[in-house]
Amino acid sequence: MNGLRLIPLGGMGHVTQNMYLYEYEDEILIVDCGIGFPDMYMPGVDILIPDTAYLMKQLEEGFHIAGMLLTHGHDDHIAATPYILPELPDFPMYGSPLTAGFAENRMQDMEKPRKVNVLQDKKWCKIGKYFEVMPLAMTHSVPDTKHYIIKTPEGIVYHGTDFKLDQKPIDGVLPDYDSIEELGKAGVDLMLMDCLRVEKKGWVKSESTCGPAIEEAMMNIKGKALVTLMSSHIHRIQQTINAAAKCGRKVAFVGRSVEQNVEVALSLKKLNVPMGMIIDKHDITNTADSELCVIIAGSQGQEGSSLIRAIYGEHPILRINSQDKVIFSADAIPGNDVPYYAAIDELFRNGVEVVYPSLSPDIHQSGHAGAEEQRTLLSMVMPRYVMPIGGADRHRVLFKTMVAGQVGIEEKRVLVPGDGDIIMLKDGQISYPEQITIRGRAVDGLGIGDVGPRVISDRLALGNAGMIVIVLPRDRKNGQFHLDQMQVVSRGFVYMQDAEEVVKFIKDQTANFISQEKKKKTDTSLRIRLEKMIARKLFSIIRREPMIVVSFIDV
Amino acid sequence: MNGLRLIPLGGMGHVTQNMYLYEYEDEILIVDCGIGFPDMYMPGVDILIPDTAYLMKQLEEGFHIAGMLLTHGHDDHIAATPYILPELPDFPMYGSPLTAGFAENRMQDMEKPRKVNVLQDKKWCKIGKYFEVMPLAMTHSVPDTKHYIIKTPEGIVYHGTDFKLDQKPIDGVLPDYDSIEELGKAGVDLMLMDCLRVEKKGWVKSESTCGPAIEEAMMNIKGKALVTLMSSHIHRIQQTINAAAKCGRKVAFVGRSVEQNVEVALSLKKLNVPMGMIIDKHDITNTADSELCVIIAGSQGQEGSSLIRAIYGEHPILRINSQDKVIFSADAIPGNDVPYYAAIDELFRNGVEVVYPSLSPDIHQSGHAGAEEQRTLLSMVMPRYVMPIGGADRHRVLFKTMVAGQVGIEEKRVLVPGDGDIIMLKDGQISYPEQITIRGRAVDGLGIGDVGPRVISDRLALGNAGMIVIVLPRDRKNGQFHLDQMQVVSRGFVYMQDAEEVVKFIKDQTANFISQEKKKKTDTSLRIRLEKMIARKLFSIIRREPMIVVSFIDV
């Protein structure tokens, strides 16, 4: 029949918005359901979520969802669930204990919160009629990350999501090399594999190297030690707690995401905290600064985060003073260095000592495998086909030569499909039978998907040069314009003191245009020509392109 | 009297917009006149220029400008001249040969273009009544960079602009260590010094290490070699030409900034090109791809640059195909990684090979000294006071401990003034007698300074959530609103298909508000309250904050 069809709904060449469909006959297995982060070309947008149009179409045509696997607890793999699940029918969900905990947390505000079933490592679990899956232990920047082996009627797929090969993981749980090698010997037909850090030639350092760096940074602080990090990074939090214990400091957690994730991790015993070491954040002010370590959300300098509010004196319970030290145990996410360094600069301006990766490189380590680690994992599995995922297009292309080529996998066995390509595995062969359109859906406030390309391009234009609205009253009886009652409203275009002159210019030009206009044009044609004329005149005078909107009002 | 007053018009803690005033009695010496680059919080703004309000005030009070020194040919030191000089009286300008050439180029479109006098290294030049200046050779990412020694009635100032200590500069012109040491022995009262790369612990590698990396990248290309770089980086261009010569390729220059800078450098013999090696860009299509090296502007992926137009097939004479290779001999400028990597990703998508610093680290080297280099220069001069410049606030603060402290200069002798602080040197003592307000002035299109904080905040709001204009006609005779003739115009808020519903909602709410309103309120009060009410309602429904503008129109 159709073979096994693999459909990446988050698109290819996007690092985030992870959501993969495995489709066989009328059955669909979903892997991950994550959000993406808008860049400077998507102003006002809060998050992006995968495009489920294809999935909805298949459901209408009688397909059903066998289940959803979650690979690990990062938001770009789980956090689209509250947006996407309400539009889908019920189906079982699966993940590791911590991933299940984080995902259930994300879904708690849904009308019908879902449960996530916990799968056991190295055990096959039947999902639907056609799929069997087995989780294998893997290391990454969140504990309990799994690589999934998916047995399908067309063969074995290795779903190798975000990973690094940490030789000294904090929880002692090494990647399951034995099972992976065994699997490789048995034969894997298709392997999907994280390629994000292919530009890094060797190995990424172990997470365990961060602990000593955090400890060193925490020595000899007169005031509070504040450590900011990714809130899901439980191992980093563990190491910070360990460092605080050595330095005789109690630990408080500040920031919704950190507090929630710590609560889940503690309840699952994924965090190991000496008795009495945690204090409630409301007791911060009752504790001596020198005996306090605050683990705080906002490591990207995000507006509204606890760290930023504390830095600018707007946090209800936390103040930062010049005896304190702030430790950024996180790099700036690509595209985000402006707010990240703005936070650091503000702290320096306030006389606060700051440690960040440029000054202490081991204070943060990436959770993604370098090229040599990718080769190591790939050479254990040696699949028939390999498809790099989780990277930008440059990473996917580089993977061909820098990873696959070097372990002896020929280029034609490395799959670099285009955005929207459906990948089919049938009788041991790969083909691309169909291309679908993938559009990231924007979530803005409470609206999902109502901010489309047109709204975005309008926002970009408005943000670049503002807007001018020309209101022209017209006599509804005789169709004559009342030019003397024309109104011009402008925002974001020029300094208000100069606006009067500009308004007069626009009014004169408009009046001139209208009075010279021959009758019998449609409103739309007249409006558009007037808008273009004003835009052209303004551009020639000042080389700016505000959005011009003409509105006729019949009175 | 007043002592020597130093006024940084570009502000402190800004890396760009360099412009310093040295003021003694009624005389002012200006050093540099550079632009700045707007970040994501200044949408639509093309460039920033220094705030000359203080200078204008002093001129009105009878001060005069003795002259302007230009330290080197980078735009953040020379390119504000065409905006700022027209508002100032005449005065002599000074610089090194290449700096003068670049600056005159920048000023060529001015109504009265200015000449820049060339100063000789190691020779004192009297400027005005009170100042004597001497240029010393220094190395940086543009040739002919100078550090200036400024003799004033209050002592010697070392103006140590952007530099690195290159041990193997391409033109063989080493930093003038002898003169610097001699000067240090004689005693320097105040030293200004580039601190930008203080986070880098050791030395920055020599520019000469880029040549072999470029050559290696240029080997074995079937098609064209395209090299993109900072257009003022004449030494990088020289090394690219040398590599092309070795690879048997002719060189063409594409992009206005590259072409102009190369022309100046050639005329000053700052570029050394074998006979017949340069071809006109219009001959690119007549030359075999395998014999061609194109040096092209656009290394930051700037919209509208030659490289970007070529990548997207919009360049009139240059096409890039999959046999070609593009070499990015430049890092992404901080804050600019999105367009930079977007260009690289697009090339990979098109099957074009790309080399960039993540893959070949030596293909670019910074022009700014690392901490160890900063210490080396500082320990030669050992001034009485040192003031880090050219860095963000974190760099200036780190300089205190990581540079000055380590060569034995106490913290109180390291000046880290706040934005707008005037620094005074009098009788060997430093004080901050006055603080002025410094505002970066925005250049947007042909407008200078008319895009102020209000326009910017409006643009950010418009860009984030769009705009809704409510036009309410009112009977000019009886003051009654014609609610049935109300018009609502919206852009950038919601998807057009949903707009009808939103428009109806807004009209209903507005009609309701107006009809319940008691009479006798001022227009302004009514308008503002209506705007706030609509904003609040929309936020509660959809959690967005479009700009709401109400306009009454009397008919």
Side-chain angles (χ1 to χ4, degrees), chain A residues 199 201 335 337 345 349 356 359 393-394 444 446 450 459 476 485 487 492 495 542 544 551-552, chain B residues 199 201 335 337 345 349 356 359 393-394 444 446 450 459 476 485 487 492 495 542 544 551-552:
Chain A
E199 291 159 346
K201 286 195 163 62
D337 48 359
D345 280 325
R349 265 192 294 278
Y356 52 107
L359 298 180
D393 284 327
R394 64 184 184 281
D444 181 1
L446 299 182
D450 63 338
R459 285 186 184 176
R476 67 168 70 201
Q485 290 157 17
Q487 287 230 357
Y495 186 49
I542 196 166
R544 292 182 202 162
S551 173
F552 301 139
Chain B
E199 290 158 346
K201 286 195 165 62
D337 48 359
D345 281 325
R349 266 193 294 277
Y356 53 105
L359 298 180
D393 285 327
R394 64 185 184 282
D444 180 0
L446 299 182
D450 63 337
R459 286 186 184 176
R476 67 168 71 200
Q485 290 158 17
Q487 288 230 357
Y495 186 49
I542 196 165
R544 289 182 203 163
S551 173
F552 300 139

Side-chain angles (χ1 to χ4, degrees), chain B residues 84-220:
Chain B
I84 285 177
L85 292 184
E87 63 191 25
L88 299 181
D90 260 346
F91 49 76
M93 299 177 70
Y94 306 92
S96 63
L98 191 71
T99 308
F102 281 3
E104 286 173 0
N105 229 326
R106 287 281 165 210
M107 296 187 285
Q108 68 191 355
D109 294 333
M110 282 166 54
E111 218 164 285
K112 288 195 292 178
R114 304 267 195 120
K115 293 293 291 175
V116 179
N117 303 296
V118 170
L119 292 182
Q120 259 199 295
D121 282 7
K122 301 168 73 166
K123 295 266 186 264
W124 288 103
C125 167
K126 178 105 181 160
I127 299 182
K129 289 172 293 191
Y130 299 116
F131 300 103
E132 267 187 280
V133 306
M134 176 169 73
L136 296 179
M138 188 42 64
T139 44
H140 184 42
S141 42
V142 59
D144 256 12
T145 295
K146 301 300 166 190
H147 278 182
Y148 283 105
I149 315 306
I150 304 175
K151 203 185 278 178
T152 80
E154 290 288 347
I156 300 279
V157 181
Y158 183 119
H159 194 99
T161 189
D162 304 10
F163 77 101
K164 71 195 279 189
L165 298 180
D166 198 328
Q167 307 297 339
K168 218 186 146 193
I170 300 306
D171 57 6
V173 181
L174 286 161
D176 187 349
Y177 295 117
D178 290 345
S179 298
I180 293 169
E181 284 195 330
E182 205 175 296
L183 193 77
K185 278 180 202 144
V188 167
D189 295 280
L190 170 62
M191 182 180 192
L192 278 60
M193 190 173 157
D194 172 18
C195 68
L196 184 65
R197 295 216 75 204
V198 66
E199 290 158 346
K200 161 96 184 160
K201 286 195 165 62
W203 285 63
V204 167
K205 281 194 194 174
S206 168
E207 172 63 23
S208 56
T209 59
C210 297
I214 294 171
E215 203 182 308
E216 195 195 324
M218 218 184 275
M219 296 288 183
N220 306 319

Side-chain angles (χ1 to χ4, degrees), chain B residues 359-371:
Chain B
L359 298 180
S360 173
D362 284 346
I363 209 106
H364 172 73
Q365 301 295 359
S366 168
H368 292 271

Side-chain angles (χ1 to χ4, degrees), chain B residues 353-402:
Chain B
E353 199 181 342
V354 191
V355 176
Y356 53 105
S358 306
L359 298 180
S360 173
D362 284 346
I363 209 106
H364 172 73
Q365 301 295 359
S366 168
H368 292 271
E372 179 63 26
E373 276 164 287
Q374 294 179 23
R375 287 192 290 268
T376 302
L377 181 63
L378 186 58
S379 61
M380 283 183 195
V381 180
M382 286 304 270
R384 185 188 289 261
Y385 294 98
V386 62
M387 180 165 105
I389 60 171
D393 285 327
R394 64 185 184 282
H395 304 123
R396 297 197 297 144
V397 174
L398 288 170
F399 180 91
K400 278 202 250 186
T401 49
M402 296 178 62

